[in-house]
Amino acid sequence: MTDTTSRARAAILRSFFALVLQRRYESISVRDVIEGAGVARSTFYEQFQNKDALLRVSLAGPLTALASLLDEAPPIKVERILQHFQENRAMANSLLAGPMRKHVERVLVDVLETRLNDGPFYVPARLIAQQLAAAQLAAIGAWLRGEARIDSIALAQALLRSARAQVAALRISAEA
């Protein structure tokens, strides 16, 4: 990726992020994004197939960190993401509540489903991913609203234990 391409991509992502904080996702057009980014329409489509692809890319980092709770690695990335959400509470609340929530949850479900490739499970992996995504986002949202007074480390550990327990409970074991 050239320096010019990287700058254009970053400008598009910044423009989109600013718009998401101001307006409902459904009301944002590609035209709005490119005007805010100061790039040509063709530049947008060189980087992203459509607005939904832009949303997926913009959410990939934090949601991949949440999905990493299914891996064997410690939840350090999740602790950092939770700290970032806490420091940017207004932004995080706009993503985790209201109309944006369904889009965030859909992207998280997609990311989680790709991690659940080591079945077999009693139910389809997509259903497990939907259950995990809803639970994680609900817990994080409640924490951000001050409904649970714990630090990001404790929440990351709780999310880790809960996610792994749910997956283990739905996995078909060799003994079954």
Side-chain angles (χ1 to χ4, degrees):
M1 190 179 293
T2 67
D3 193 40
T4 303
T5 304
S6 295
R7 283 196 305 272
R9 186 178 182 88
I12 292 167
L13 286 164
R14 277 193 308 275
S15 173
F16 178 69
F17 185 70
L19 288 165
V20 165
L21 293 178
Q22 297 169 10
R23 303 186 347 216
R24 293 181 57 219
Y25 175 75
E26 290 80 11
S27 72
I28 298 169
S29 68
V30 170
R31 181 183 191 139
D32 297 330
V33 174
I34 62 176
E35 285 176 1
V39 299
R41 188 173 206 74
S42 60
T43 302
F44 176 89
Y45 286 108
E46 288 170 6
Q47 298 295 317
F48 304 99
Q49 183 178 8
N50 53 35
K51 185 177 76 167
D52 288 341
L54 175 58
L55 176 67
R56 282 190 299 278
V57 168
S58 69
L59 295 173
L63 299 183
T64 298
L66 286 176
S68 75
L69 291 170
L70 300 181
D71 301 336
E72 294 304 316
I76 293 171
K77 287 182 194 175
V78 176
E79 293 169 24
R80 290 183 188 138
I81 291 299
L82 293 173
Q83 289 168 353
H84 177 73
F85 283 171
Q86 194 171 39
E87 292 164 4
N88 299 282
R89 189 168 285 149
M91 174 272 305
N93 281 327
S94 74
L95 292 173
L96 299 177
M100 276 304 293
R101 164 76 182 247
K102 68 181 176 186
H103 300 291
V104 172
E105 190 167 326
R106 186 182 69 227
V107 173
L108 181 55
V109 166
D110 290 343
V111 173
L112 285 164
E113 185 178 22
T114 63
R115 302 263 179 155
L116 294 167
N117 59 4
D118 61 346
F121 297 105
Y122 288 106
V123 297
R126 182 88 181 163
L127 184 59
I128 299 168
Q130 289 170 330
Q131 179 181 354
L132 290 169
Q136 288 178 345
L137 296 177
I140 294 167
W143 175 70
L144 288 171
R145 290 188 303 273
E147 295 176 28
R149 299 204 190 304
I150 59 173
D151 62 26
S152 58
I153 296 168
L155 180 57
Q157 286 296 325
L159 291 171
L160 174 131
R161 290 173 188 223
S162 175
R164 290 184 184 173
Q166 288 177 8
V167 170
L170 295 170
R171 185 179 310 281
I172 298 172
S173 68
E175 298 121 23

